[in-house]
Amino acid sequence: MWTNRQFVMRLMLLTLLLALVAAKSKISAVQEDITDYKEFKKLIRTKNNVLALYVSSAKEAAAELKVFREAADVIRGTGTMLYVDCSNQERKKLCKKLKVAPSSYILRHYKDGDYHKDYDRQLTAESMVTFMRDPTGDLPWEEDPAGADVLHFNDGASFSKHVRKDIRPMLVMFHVPWCGFCKRMKPDYSKAATELKTHGGYLLAAMNVERQENAPVRKLFNLTGFPTLIYFENGKMRFTYEGENTKDALVAFMLNPNVKPTPKPKEPDWSADTNSEIVHLTTQGFEAVLKDEKSALVMFYAPWCGHCKHMKPEYEKAALEMKQKNVPGMLAALDATKETAIGEKYKVKGYPTVKYFSYGVYKFDVNVREVSKIVEFMIDPKEPPPPPPPEKNWEDEEGSTEVIFPNDETFRTILKRKKHALVMFYAPWCGHCKHTKPEFTAAANALQDDPRVALVAIDCTKYVELCAKYNVRGYPTFIYFSYLKTTLEYKGGRSSKDFIAYMKNPPSPNEHSEL
């Protein structure tokens, strides 16, 4: 049994250990241990979403570093945050190698193993988090100067707090980033917000409900289509705005919301088309209709979805062609925004989603959207093969360590030191390159003991300028270098024996002409 003193000591020790673990966890959100160029390259190759903060000194950029750490804690697992202090003796060479010379700080993003862009958003933790979640996405609406007069709610808590305290008339646009209608409406909505500001007492607001933290709001207002505009007055929801999505219509509505706005032209309900060969399903009849059908495609759609609208006429034509050619099977459709239970049951997350059923049993998803492809599939419905696994980078393939893979900065340094170097300029997608890679690798392994010789590979999809410099117009292209001063296009065979024989007896300086 422990004495009281032992128990207290152990409790204190446990508290200390927990504190140390918490501190360590907090620090590890930002990676700070990269000191040389090789480590850096390995990091951006293995982590495909990296934001790097380079500072002239920790003191000079203390405020930026604080924000950077806050963002890192949130996006842990989604992206990698790298901190490099260029005043540190160990990291000076790295900054110089990367040609980074921050006057105070520089933020750079790296994607899929290469430089992507300089960070161009607001210097806030929230903006950094948004950027890291979608680094190739559009500038968030709340950061667009044109939308400065729109009140943006970040989450349900800020929205609820505002509604409780501010009783002014307010129109809220609930939107998602991928919605085409939302994107087209934003400019008019922003202009309307600016004009209403001059009248005073009116608010146009917006909320991105795609964010996970806003899922409760989406559920509360039963938001199934976008954009959805809801009008609030005296802190209470009044009704959904059904007018035109133009600046003038929005302003007119806010100035006099009791006048019924001119409704938007309503699209005809697809299921109401009596001439259609498509079978329109509902939750009630879903299983009953499909259970006797040996072969059925079901298109899960949303009425507002642009891709669905493009597919509809193709789907209709395919059903008609199947009827004319006596192709067995059924083409069906279901509005997943109305029949939400069925959409959820079959895990429909985007539109259109096309699923194949046999006797009412779901079999697999199908990616067909054109008449010919739809009919072809229904003639012989087979499960599509799984996508092939992504190919490894050549430099990561087993046995390729003796091939040198420089970048545009290290290319000259490496080749200046080699008396005989054969460079293969290639593209990863090139079939001839794929066939040649193992032969080139085998030759590099066979010649590894000769320090004067190097077999080098340059990916022209990454290093476009370098390939253009040497007039590379097709793949693969082979060029022989001697101390980088003399160059000669290699036109020999592409087997390992050919490469080895050439490098063991390369042309003398008098035998070649410079490129």
Side-chain angles (χ1 to χ4, degrees):
M1 294 289 291
W2 295 344
T3 65
N4 189 49
R5 181 184 173 122
Q6 286 174 322
F7 177 78
V8 171
M9 290 296 289
R10 286 175 182 267
L11 187 61
M12 289 174 64
L13 181 61
L14 179 61
T15 304
L16 180 60
L17 285 170
L18 288 172
L20 288 171
V21 168
K24 186 178 180 181
S25 173
K26 189 174 181 181
I27 292 169
S28 65
V30 175
Q31 191 153 341
E32 303 181 35
D33 58 348
I34 301 297
T35 57
D36 63 40
Y37 187 71
K38 283 186 178 178
E39 290 176 339
F40 174 81
K41 290 299 286 184
K42 183 179 179 182
L43 175 73
I44 66 171
R45 278 202 311 268
T46 55
K47 306 290 185 182
N48 62 2
N49 183 18
V50 180
L51 185 62
L53 171 64
Y54 303 95
V55 302
S56 57
S57 74
K59 187 177 179 181
E60 288 280 334
E64 290 78 11
L65 180 56
K66 183 176 181 292
V67 171
F68 194 71
R69 290 193 189 284
E70 289 173 7
D73 286 333
V74 178
I75 63 94
R76 192 196 302 260
T78 303
T80 302
M81 308 290 267
L82 172 65
Y83 169 64
V84 181
D85 183 350
C86 293
S87 67
N88 182 284
Q89 198 62 38
E90 285 184 306
R91 294 165 178 78
K92 276 184 179 179
K93 287 183 180 179
L94 174 61
C95 294
K96 189 175 180 182
K97 190 80 173 174
L98 294 170
K99 297 181 180 178
V100 174
S103 56
S104 175
Y105 74 94
I106 293 174
L107 276 160
R108 287 188 176 169
H109 186 257
Y110 301 87
K111 184 177 179 295
D112 299 327
D114 212 345
Y115 167 78
H116 172 220
K117 62 186 288 189
D118 279 11
Y119 177 80
D120 56 359
R121 305 281 179 86
Q122 293 177 3
L123 195 66
T124 64
E126 186 182 335
S127 293
M128 284 187 192
V129 169
T130 302
F131 173 79
M132 289 297 283
R133 284 174 175 168
D134 186 14
T136 59
D138 297 331
L139 181 72
W141 193 8
E142 60 267 27
E143 294 186 24
D144 187 347
D149 294 321
V150 176
L151 175 64
H152 293 276
F153 296 116
N154 295 322
D155 50 42
S158 60
F159 170 75
S160 299
K161 184 179 178 180
H162 177 89
V163 170
R164 286 197 305 269
K165 293 186 175 182
D166 196 328
I167 61 171
R168 287 179 292 174
M170 176 175 69
L171 188 65
V172 183
M173 174 177 165
F174 296 97
H175 63 97
V176 288
W178 44 263
C179 162
F181 293 107
C182 305
K183 289 178 181 179
R184 287 194 288 274
M185 186 178 178
K186 281 178 184 178
D188 275 275
Y189 198 78
S190 297
K191 289 174 185 175
T194 300
E195 185 169 326
L196 285 166
K197 194 175 178 180
T198 62
H199 292 275
Y202 304 94
L203 284 176
L204 290 195
M207 179 186 284
N208 175 3
V209 291
E210 179 75 354
R211 294 173 180 167
Q212 190 175 357
E213 58 268 30
N214 291 339
V217 175
R218 198 165 172 167
K219 189 174 182 180
L220 175 66
F221 294 110
N222 192 27
L223 303 173
T224 56
F226 304 101
T228 293
L229 287 82
I230 298 178
Y231 178 67
F232 293 82
E233 199 173 87
N234 294 319
K236 295 180 181 179
M237 174 184 168
R238 288 274 311 275
F239 44 76
T240 301
Y241 173 77
E242 298 290 349
E244 292 280 358
N245 295 342
T246 64
K247 184 204 76 163
D248 291 341
L250 290 163
V251 171
F253 167 79
M254 289 301 288
L255 294 177
N256 194 354
N258 295 316
V259 174
K260 194 173 182 180
T262 304
K264 291 179 282 187
K266 192 173 182 181
E267 292 187 25
D269 188 342
W270 188 16
S271 62
D273 185 357
T274 55
N275 296 316
S276 174
E277 295 296 332
I278 303 298
V279 176
H280 288 274
L281 302 171
T282 62
T283 302
Q284 189 175 1
F286 190 86
E287 292 179 359
V289 172
L290 294 181
K291 71 175 182 178
D292 297 324
E293 203 60 52
K294 181 182 178 182
S295 183
L297 272 188
V298 180
M299 173 183 166
F300 293 82
Y301 71 95
W304 43 263
C305 157
H307 294 297
C308 303
K309 290 176 182 178
H310 285 117
M311 184 177 168
K312 277 181 189 178
E314 297 290 306
Y315 206 53
E316 290 279 8
K317 289 175 189 174
L320 186 60
E321 188 172 320
M322 284 173 60
K323 182 179 180 181
Q324 292 168 347
K325 294 181 177 179
N326 293 317
V327 176
M330 173 196 289
L331 297 190
L334 181 135
D335 182 348
T337 65
K338 285 184 180 178
E339 315 296 338
T340 54
I342 294 291
E344 288 173 6
K345 179 179 178 179
Y346 291 102
K347 298 177 182 176
V348 174
K349 295 181 179 178
Y351 307 114
T353 292
V354 183
K355 295 180 181 284
Y356 180 69
F357 291 78
S358 180
Y359 296 118
V361 178
Y362 163 71
K363 295 296 183 179
F364 46 80
D365 281 16
V366 183
N367 187 22
V368 289
R369 297 190 183 184
E370 298 170 0
V371 176
S372 59
K373 296 292 183 183
I374 296 167
V375 175
E376 183 183 321
F377 172 81
M378 292 301 286
I379 290 171
D380 185 18
K382 290 181 179 177
E383 184 172 4
E391 292 185 19
K392 286 184 178 180
N393 291 327
W394 186 2
E395 56 205 277
D396 296 328
E397 290 178 7
E398 191 175 343
S400 62
T401 53
E402 298 307 323
V403 178
I404 299 173
F405 299 92
N407 57 35
D408 48 8
E409 294 175 1
T410 58
F411 183 82
R412 289 182 59 82
T413 307
I414 292 169
L415 266 67
K416 272 183 179 180
R417 299 171 183 169
K418 297 296 179 181
K419 185 174 183 180
H420 307 298
L422 185 61
V423 181
M424 175 177 165
F425 295 89
Y426 75 99
W429 46 259
C430 156
H432 294 298
C433 304
K434 290 178 182 179
H435 286 113
T436 307
K437 274 162 54 177
E439 300 294 326
F440 198 73
T441 298
N445 290 332
L447 296 166
Q448 62 180 298
D449 295 330
D450 191 340
R452 303 170 304 163
V453 174
L455 266 67
V456 180
I458 294 292
D459 181 349
C460 290
T461 64
K462 285 185 178 180
Y463 307 111
V464 179
E465 292 181 8
L466 183 59
C467 295
K469 180 179 178 180
Y470 291 102
N471 202 29
V472 175
R473 295 181 179 177
Y475 309 118
T477 291
F478 297 89
I479 300 178
Y480 167 81
F481 292 82
S482 180
Y483 296 125
L484 199 64
K485 293 179 181 178
T486 55
T487 56
L488 176 68
E489 186 174 359
Y490 170 84
K491 295 183 179 178
R494 295 183 182 176
S495 70
S496 58
K497 290 180 180 179
D498 294 322
F499 294 133
I500 292 167
Y502 183 86
M503 295 306 283
K504 283 188 174 180
N505 188 24
S508 66
N510 297 325
E511 291 178 29
H512 66 75
S513 59
E514 292 195 13
L515 289 172

